[in-house]
Amino acid sequence: MAGSVRARLLLERRAGPELALELAEAGSLEDAIGYLQRSPARYSPRTARTVHLEQVQHDVASSVGLAARVLAAWLPREAAVGLRAMASWFELVNLEDRLAYLTGGELRSAFELGALSSVWEAAAEASSVDELRRLLSRSPWGDAGTDDPEEIALWLRFAWAKRVAKQVPAAEPWAAGAAALVLATEMFVAGRFFDAAVARELGLGPAWVSATSIADLRARLPARAAWALDGVEDPPGLFGAELAWWRRLGLDAERLVHGRLDEADVVIGALALLALDALRVNAALAVAARSGSSTAREVLDALC
């Protein structure tokens, strides 16, 4: 039970909604950082004068990755399978950033993965998209079947959702719902077409490929995924649906932490709650840095 005990201890140092709302009123990023460092919360963002919002938000998110590594070390190997699947999101972000860099984007700070890495140590040195694809094909991520960077990035997101759904039963609705949101965005915002091969790989049935609207997509998806699109009738509604996804995750995760005796489920719930807390804090930092950013304010209000 050492893992579940450690998980609950980590949760005691969350910022929480109240502190996040107070951070948002700090007036500047510098003041918000100082307030956060003086608080009981576990975040320790850098304080250099040249620090930028994106750097601070990366530091906050990194704290969740560190918590995942700590929890993985406390769990028996077989019990840590689900945690590793959830935490592979950090490797996913690193891989997406590497793809962007290889196609002309800026070089971003990577999340430290330690023992949670499956391919990142090699992928971090990849000098071309083709090389990165070959590395991925020999890893748990698998082969995207294309050299197109955007298609590879999309494949990675679906691969993460499929892995979580398979290895973390308690998180299957989260993974399937996340996949539904990605599908809706790609089909009805980006205008992307999906074929039957993608449908088979994703494991959400074949019917959704022919959807002609978000409402039609919702009707064609299985219930475990369709819930994430409830009430969404047009593309602008997807932003609110993503926030609703986070709220559902928070409610489910609280039940896992407080209502289950299974150690693996407690740890999964704790990791989800830590991720939600980091999202709140980062939204609050954005509000403080931009003197009331409307989008960040909407995120913060929806999650507090």
Side-chain angles (χ1 to χ4, degrees), residues 57-77:
Q57 290 177 320
H58 185 276
D59 290 346
V60 169
S62 292
S63 70
V64 183
L66 175 60
R69 300 202 304 274
V70 168
L71 291 171
W74 281 88
L75 288 173
R77 185 172 183 83

Side-chain angles (χ1 to χ4, degrees), residues 249-270:
L249 176 140
L251 292 172
D252 289 352
E254 289 285 0
R255 285 192 286 268
L256 289 176
V257 169
H258 299 294
R260 297 285 188 96
L261 296 178
D262 183 83
E263 183 174 44
D265 281 353
V266 171
V267 170
I268 289 299

Side-chain angles (χ1 to χ4, degrees), residues 80-86 161-171 268:
V81 170
L83 174 68
R84 292 176 181 277
M86 289 278 289
K162 185 178 178 181
R163 180 180 176 187
V164 170
K166 181 179 180 180
Q167 298 182 357
V168 194
I268 289 299

Side-chain angles (χ1 to χ4, degrees), residues 155-195:
W155 166 271
L156 289 170
R157 293 198 168 223
F158 287 149
W160 176 83
K162 185 178 178 181
R163 180 180 176 187
V164 170
K166 181 179 180 180
Q167 298 182 357
V168 194
E172 183 185 15
W174 308 342
L181 288 169
V182 173
L183 286 176
T185 300
E186 293 298 322
M187 294 174 73
F188 303 111
V189 177
R192 191 184 300 272
F193 170 79
F194 291 102
D195 59 23

Side-chain angles (χ1 to χ4, degrees), residues 12-29:
E12 291 179 2
R13 295 194 61 196
R14 283 178 290 172
E18 184 176 344
L19 178 58
L21 290 171
E22 291 172 357
L23 280 176
E25 303 303 321
S28 71
L29 179 59

Side-chain angles (χ1 to χ4, degrees), residues 73-184:
W74 281 88
L75 288 173
R77 185 172 183 83
E78 62 276 10
V81 170
L83 174 68
R84 292 176 181 277
M86 289 278 289
S88 64
W89 177 261
F90 292 97
E91 185 166 62
L92 164 61
V93 174
N94 283 355
L95 292 169
E96 287 183 331
D97 286 346
R98 190 66 187 176
L99 278 167
Y101 173 69
L102 293 174
T103 53
E106 63 178 299
L107 183 63
R108 296 176 179 271
S109 298
F111 290 113
E112 294 183 18
L113 302 178
L116 296 178
S117 171
S118 67
V119 71
W120 176 243
E121 289 184 4
E125 303 299 325
S127 58
S128 69
V129 173
D130 182 63
E131 181 184 358
L132 182 57
R133 178 189 169 186
R134 289 198 302 272
L135 290 169
L136 290 171
S137 71
R138 299 192 294 269
S139 79
W141 294 101
D143 185 12
T146 176
D147 290 326
D148 183 275
E150 290 187 5
E151 295 289 344
I152 294 174
L154 186 60
W155 166 271
L156 289 170
R157 293 198 168 223
F158 287 149
W160 176 83
K162 185 178 178 181
R163 180 180 176 187
V164 170
K166 181 179 180 180
Q167 298 182 357
V168 194
E172 183 185 15
W174 308 342
L181 288 169
V182 173
L183 286 176

Side-chain angles (χ1 to χ4, degrees), residues 6-18:
R6 186 69 181 179
R8 290 187 173 106
L9 288 174
L10 287 171
L11 290 176
E12 291 179 2
R13 295 194 61 196
R14 283 178 290 172
E18 184 176 344

